[in-house]
Amino acid sequence: MKPLSTVSDEYFIKIINDIDPELSVISRRTLGRRLDDKKIIICEKLNKIFQKSPKIKVCTTADIWSTKHRSFIGVTAHWIDSETFERHGCVLACRRFKGSHTYDKIAEILECIFSEFSLHIEQITSTVTDNGANFVKAFKEFNCNINFEENANSENEETVFLDIPLEDNLTNNFVLPHHVRCASHTLSLLATTDFNNILGPNSKIHYSVMGKCTALWNASRRPKSSEIIMDELGCSLIYPTPTRWNSLFDSLNHLITLRCKLNNVVKCLNLNFVLKESDYEYIEELVKVLKPIAQALDYLQAEKNCFYGQLIPTLISLKLRLEELKNQKLRYLFNLISPLCNKLHDRFKNYFNLSHEADDAILATCFHPLFKMRWIPKSLTEADKERIQLLCINAAKKINIPNNEISTSDVSDDDDNFLICMSPNRSNVLTDSSKSIELQILQFFNDKNKSLTCLNNYPVVKQLFIDYNTNICSSAPVERLFSFAGFIMAPTRSRLSDEQFEKLVFLKGNQNYGII
């Protein structure tokens, strides 16, 4: 985190000599060589992890960050340990991005980074990015499209790899993995853009109250006024930051806890307004409306404890929690609840409608021990239930597990929750292996154990869980990468070269992930 030239500073050397005269400080050149060696060791270690047999499934995240007239593209990778079910991660790159951030250049850099670590397209389950138009187009143009042809009378699922359409002016045939949009970024748009668009008649009081809150938050950023706030409240105010939407909810919630003291602060700061009782009522209602969204965001942005199978249940729970607000006597924001729910449904319609585009998320949820088939809405039609049934069975049949590892113990008849998702009249046409696989899936769904360790009893389901839950719901990891990258690219290090910066971010990031 400090300039490498620190080791050559005479005062630094004096500090070390004062601590222990026998210690010697390495030179700047030696330190640089050791950093080069450390990077090579980490790259080799990551290559071994990615290429060990059987090859692990990897999910990547990507984003672009600009600072001090330079831009960088960051890429992280994440996978699940098949023994402990613990999620691991690493930093693949934080590379200089020169020129315009066009979709073809994004594709070129991403493919280059993946190839450096010998990551093949079939090994990467998905790449998670925000909703930026350049990222969306890059994956749309260069994605390895998969078309699932389903036949109601057939159990087979055919996978067809389609040709990638290229524009005439493109000479490189890049191939990118499946693209997943960051759910957290989309949810933040619900709480900001969509919320502001549907305010309607409440916009006057909303902007009036938020103007007063903003005045307090701005005062907390200035040294003199911050001291006054500290003297009056005994603490500083939490204020929102534009890069983290949840901070707005946290800031409003903090103001509510200090409501009895805020007008004294306003008076001491000589601000030309007073917080009325109606203002506090509006803030309390706003906190109630935004709380479910904030909780969903915190849930989905967790890096180690969040799996892709938690996305659909989280969205369903969020919609239910928002609809429950209709039963509360909201004075100002009651009319916003229904439009907000509609916007939520529109932004995640593939997941709410359980369409083919959400098949991976559906399978990830079904094979997660916490959810299994419990999450399926009661309103779902029998045809949709049958589709989910076929989806689970066909996914299981693709798993290459030796027959002697497939459990075939008897299934208890006291729990028929899975019967709505299994078709008994199909069993007479199944092979012995297929029967064993279906039986294992049935056992898993009837198992009341919700811990991840229960997957060890079901080899087929265990592999399915890893395959479909390797995806993460948010691109938050690469955002965290840029957070500490900003400390490395300090104002006093403006002469730091691109290569040295990339190396330092790579080492620091993988140190945080425990790779070093």
Side-chain angles (χ1 to χ4, degrees), residues 265-276:
V265 173
V266 171
K267 184 177 179 180
C268 294
L269 293 174
N270 295 321
L271 299 176
N272 58 350
F273 64 83
V274 175
L275 284 166
K276 304 175 185 178

Side-chain angles (χ1 to χ4, degrees), residues 61 128 182 184 300-303 472 474-481:
T61 69
V128 185
C182 173
S184 298
L300 295 177
Q301 289 179 155
E303 188 170 336
I472 58 179
S474 170
S475 61
V478 74
E479 298 290 345
R480 298 186 183 106
L481 169 68

Side-chain angles (χ1 to χ4, degrees), residues 51 60 114 126 138 192 221 230 258-259 279 291 307 368 408 414 441 488 504 509:
Q51 296 309 310
T60 59
F114 295 152
S126 70
T192 52
R221 292 185 175 96
M230 179 66 76
L258 303 169
R259 61 182 298 175
D279 295 334
K291 183 178 180 180
F307 298 95
H368 194 299
T408 57
D414 61 351
I441 295 176
I488 295 175
L504 293 173

Side-chain angles (χ1 to χ4, degrees), residues 19 28 32 48 52 66 72 111 130 133 169 175 180 194 273 292 306 342 358 365 373 399 411 415 420 428 497 507:
I19 294 174
R28 162 68 177 79
K48 288 180 180 178
K52 68 179 181 180
S66 298
F72 298 87
E111 188 177 58
D130 60 19
N169 59 340
V175 180
V180 173
D194 294 339
F273 64 83
C306 184
N342 294 335
T365 308
M373 307 302 289
I399 301 299
V411 180
D415 189 351
I420 61 171
N428 57 348
S497 67
L507 294 175

Side-chain angles (χ1 to χ4, degrees), residues 149-404:
E149 297 180 0
E150 295 184 348
N151 190 328
N153 299 321
S154 174
E155 300 173 10
N156 297 323
E157 189 179 65
E158 181 181 356
T159 302
V160 181
F161 290 89
L162 304 179
D163 293 333
I164 300 172
L166 295 175
E167 296 181 3
D168 295 337
N169 59 340
L170 295 179
T171 58
N172 294 315
N173 189 358
F174 307 121
V175 180
L176 296 181
H178 176 63
H179 182 223
V180 173
R181 298 195 185 196
C182 173
S184 298
H185 186 263
T186 306
L187 271 183
S188 67
L189 293 176
L190 174 73
T192 52
T193 304
D194 294 339
F195 182 85
N196 291 330
N197 289 339
I198 62 179
L199 272 173
N202 295 308
S203 59
K204 186 175 181 180
I205 184 173
H206 175 80
Y207 292 118
S208 173
V209 174
M210 292 306 296
K212 296 177 181 179
C213 295
T214 302
L216 287 170
W217 292 329
N218 289 339
S220 65
R221 292 185 175 96
R222 296 189 290 267
K224 291 183 179 179
S225 54
S226 180
E227 290 177 2
I228 296 174
I229 294 174
M230 179 66 76
D231 292 339
E232 291 294 323
L233 301 179
C235 64
S236 300
L237 288 179
I238 299 175
Y239 51 84
T241 57
T243 56
R244 181 178 173 270
W245 177 84
N246 271 20
S247 62
L248 174 61
F249 168 78
D250 295 335
S251 302
L252 291 171
N253 201 32
H254 189 227
L255 290 179
I256 291 297
T257 62
L258 303 169
R259 61 182 298 175
C260 60
K261 300 179 181 179
L262 286 182
N263 275 328
N264 289 335
V265 173
V266 171
K267 184 177 179 180
C268 294
L269 293 174
N270 295 321
L271 299 176
N272 58 350
F273 64 83
V274 175
L275 284 166
K276 304 175 185 178
E277 189 63 29
S278 58
D279 295 334
Y280 289 119
E281 291 177 0
Y282 182 82
I283 295 175
E284 287 178 343
E285 286 195 11
L286 187 58
V287 167
K288 285 182 180 180
V289 173
L290 298 182
K291 183 178 180 180
I293 303 176
Q295 290 176 329
L297 278 169
D298 286 337
Y299 195 51
L300 295 177
Q301 289 179 155
E303 188 170 336
K304 288 190 175 182
N305 301 320
C306 184
F307 298 95
Y308 196 47
Q310 295 169 228
L311 177 57
I312 294 180
T314 300
L315 294 175
I316 294 175
S317 299
L318 173 58
K319 189 174 182 181
L320 291 175
R321 288 180 181 276
L322 288 175
E323 290 176 343
E324 285 176 359
L325 293 174
K326 295 178 182 179
N327 299 326
Q328 300 189 22
K329 297 179 180 179
L330 300 180
R331 178 181 176 185
Y332 302 99
L333 300 176
F334 177 80
N335 293 329
L336 272 74
I337 304 303
S338 293
L340 206 60
C341 290
N342 294 335
K343 286 292 184 180
L344 174 65
H345 189 278
D346 291 341
R347 288 195 176 274
F348 295 96
K349 60 182 178 181
N350 288 335
Y351 299 100
F352 283 112
N353 295 337
L354 302 181
S355 60
H356 293 290
E357 291 79 3
D359 280 353
D360 284 354
I362 294 171
L363 289 169
T365 308
C366 289
F367 296 122
H368 194 299
L370 182 62
F371 305 107
K372 297 176 183 175
M373 307 302 289
R374 303 183 186 97
W375 62 276
I376 296 180
K378 295 180 180 179
S379 59
L380 203 65
T381 63
E382 290 299 323
D384 287 333
K385 293 175 183 177
E386 177 73 13
R387 192 183 82 81
I388 295 177
Q389 163 204 341
L390 291 175
L391 200 62
C392 293
I393 294 173
N394 290 333
K397 289 178 181 178
K398 294 179 181 180
I399 301 299
N400 185 19
I401 300 290
N403 288 337
N404 59 357

Side-chain angles (χ1 to χ4, degrees), residues 4 28 70 72 94 96 98 488-489 493-505:
L4 304 188
R28 162 68 177 79
R70 286 189 278 183
F72 298 87
C94 185
R96 177 72 187 274
K98 295 183 178 180
I488 295 175
M489 184 67 77
R493 306 181 72 177
S494 58
R495 296 179 62 185
L496 188 64
S497 67
D498 296 335
E499 293 76 15
Q500 194 71 283
F501 172 74
E502 293 168 19
K503 188 191 308 175
L504 293 173
V505 174

Side-chain angles (χ1 to χ4, degrees), residues 412-453:
S412 174
D413 294 330
D414 61 351
D415 189 351
D416 59 353
N417 289 334
F418 186 63
L419 294 179
I420 61 171
C421 295
M422 293 295 290
S423 181
N425 59 0
R426 297 174 64 256
S427 60
N428 57 348
V429 297
L430 297 174
T431 64
D432 291 340
S433 176
S434 298
K435 288 180 181 179
S436 299
I437 291 174
E438 281 205 51
L439 183 59
Q440 185 179 138
I441 295 176
L442 179 61
Q443 288 175 313
F444 169 72
F445 283 114
N446 287 330
D447 192 340
K448 299 183 185 301
N449 191 339
K450 299 180 181 180
S451 66
L452 294 178
T453 55

Side-chain angles (χ1 to χ4, degrees), residues 69-92:
H69 312 294
R70 286 189 278 183
S71 297
F72 298 87
I73 183 169
V75 182
T76 66
H78 308 269
W79 63 93
I80 298 175
D81 189 300
S82 59
E83 300 298 326
T84 64
F85 305 107
E86 182 181 358
R87 187 182 290 280
H88 298 280
C90 70
V91 173
L92 295 183

